[in-house]
Amino acid sequence: MPGTRTFSSTQPVSLALQGGGAHGAFTWGVLERLSEEPGFRVAAISATSSGAMNACAFAQGWARGGAAGAREALAAFWEAVSCHNAVADFWLAAARNWRLDAFLLNASPLQINPLRGLVESAFDMNLLRRSPLRLHIAATRVRDGALTVFDNAALSHDALLASACLPQWFPTVEIDGEAYWDGGYAGNPALEPLLQPDGPRDILAVLLQPEQRSVPQSARDIAERINQLSFGSVFLRELRSLSCADRPSVWARLHGALRPQSRFRLQRIHPAEEFTASDGNAASDTRLGHLQELRGHGRTAAEAWLHGDRAAVDLALPQPLLAT
């Protein structure tokens, strides 16, 4: 039955934050609204791309000033994003010309990453490495496509840039001799890092794609939908693999006998279908007015989740899926 969601200060939650370029401002609105609720506390965040930026802004702000500090840090980050429009202008021009395919085939990635200055000025890595809020930032290892997750100890500006490295736009990020691309190719967001026996049982995923979408008709909308599918299908596959429906028999087959498992509950906040309409709502459009509109969508979705039906998916502790 619908009701008001309440948080317990003794029972924190874990967050899974999806990436999606400027659409990450939707998550800004969700986190802003949730942080206004008494008792809302986060123990861990698994995040990808723009979700990783939200995660670090939230964690850094919380460390400095609690919930109010988290809201201030999120606002400061996205306002800074709005000042970096070079990439947005390029891709919006491509979209207007209905030639996204030609640009993707012929354009070279930028040799200088325009996000580097923003990331380096926005985030204090020493503070984030010491944060009690556990961070799990996803990137994709280029040589084999494996999911790599950077935790607090391994966190760096390069790790954040790797998580958001779309290879059509930005140069490949190298860390310790390995090349990385956007984490969305391997985990968007990755759920496994949050399934820890000593971690919260409640996981809230903030997604940037509607639960249901109509069939696109125009060439531009089809191209946008293909991009959404490539980044959203990874999450759906992991979610299906972690579903508890047949977990006992699988566990018994792998280990020879049934034994107690850690159980988790996943709930989701996602936007309405019109959120991803391509006209005036491109994931590369970082104009402040657009970001603030997306933030408003996020606040509305969070409000609806707080006071509405909250169907949950049961998950169980899986076998390791991370890169080795």
Side-chain angles (χ1 to χ4, degrees), residues 1-317:
M1 295 294 292
T4 301
R5 175 69 157 89
T6 58
F7 294 99
S8 168
S9 59
T10 61
Q11 297 294 326
V13 299
S14 293
L15 298 176
L17 307 182
Q18 196 167 62
H23 286 165
F26 172 86
T27 302
W28 167 23
V30 170
L31 296 179
E32 181 181 77
R33 176 63 189 90
L34 294 181
S35 69
E36 295 168 356
E37 288 295 301
F40 178 72
R41 188 163 61 91
V42 178
I45 306 178
S46 178
T48 300
S49 196
S50 61
M53 305 294 176
N54 277 316
C56 288
F58 181 90
Q60 181 168 284
W62 195 283
R64 290 174 172 169
R71 292 192 291 272
E72 291 173 4
L74 286 164
F77 172 76
W78 285 102
E79 287 167 7
V81 168
S82 71
C83 298
H84 293 70
N85 275 326
V87 174
D89 292 343
F90 176 84
W91 288 96
L92 285 174
R96 292 191 194 99
N97 289 325
W98 299 64
R99 295 295 299 164
L100 283 174
D101 55 342
F103 276 91
L104 288 171
L105 289 172
N106 299 315
S108 298
L110 300 176
Q111 296 307 303
I112 298 175
N113 193 328
L115 292 177
R116 180 171 291 278
L118 171 63
V119 167
E120 291 180 348
S121 63
F123 299 117
D124 180 344
M125 287 299 154
N126 289 327
L127 177 62
L128 289 171
R129 292 186 194 114
R130 299 193 307 268
S131 171
L133 196 164
R134 296 193 296 272
L135 296 172
H136 309 281
I137 304 304
T140 302
R141 194 166 63 192
V142 177
R143 64 179 168 89
D144 58 4
L147 170 66
T148 300
V149 175
F150 297 93
D151 61 12
N152 296 63
L155 197 57
S156 66
H157 293 121
D158 280 341
L160 265 183
L161 291 170
S163 185
C165 178
L166 289 172
Q168 303 95 331
W169 296 7
F170 306 133
T172 298
V173 178
E174 289 194 9
I175 302 174
D176 296 331
E178 286 283 3
Y180 294 99
W181 284 346
D182 193 291
Y185 298 112
N188 193 24
L191 293 174
E192 188 203 358
L194 301 177
L195 306 186
Q196 302 300 321
D198 61 344
R201 293 296 178 263
D202 286 316
I203 301 170
L204 176 59
V206 183
L207 308 179
L208 300 183
Q209 297 184 25
E211 194 170 38
Q212 301 291 332
R213 281 157 289 195
S214 58
V215 178
Q217 301 299 321
S218 70
R220 180 173 56 183
D221 289 347
I222 290 172
E224 177 71 14
R225 184 74 177 97
I226 290 172
N227 185 58
Q228 293 168 3
L229 287 172
S230 67
F231 277 78
S233 59
V234 174
F235 171 78
L236 294 176
R237 284 197 298 271
E238 185 182 14
L239 182 60
R240 283 194 292 268
S241 72
L242 298 177
S243 173
C244 286
D246 60 349
R247 183 64 60 181
S249 61
V250 172
W251 193 272
R253 194 159 58 248
L254 289 174
H255 297 274
L258 289 174
R259 57 181 176 178
Q261 304 172 65
S262 296
R263 299 280 179 167
F264 304 86
R265 289 195 325 147
L266 175 76
Q267 298 183 55
R268 288 168 281 185
I269 295 177
H270 52 77
E273 180 178 4
E274 58 268 21
F275 172 82
T276 55
S278 58
D279 288 338
N281 196 15
S284 57
D285 184 355
T286 59
R287 293 170 298 178
L288 183 58
H290 180 233
L291 298 177
Q292 290 174 335
E293 181 181 356
L294 297 176
R295 169 196 172 210
H297 281 290
R299 288 189 61 89
T300 299
E303 187 72 30
W305 178 79
L306 286 167
H307 298 284
D309 291 314
R310 294 173 296 278
V313 176
D314 289 331
L315 307 177
L317 191 65

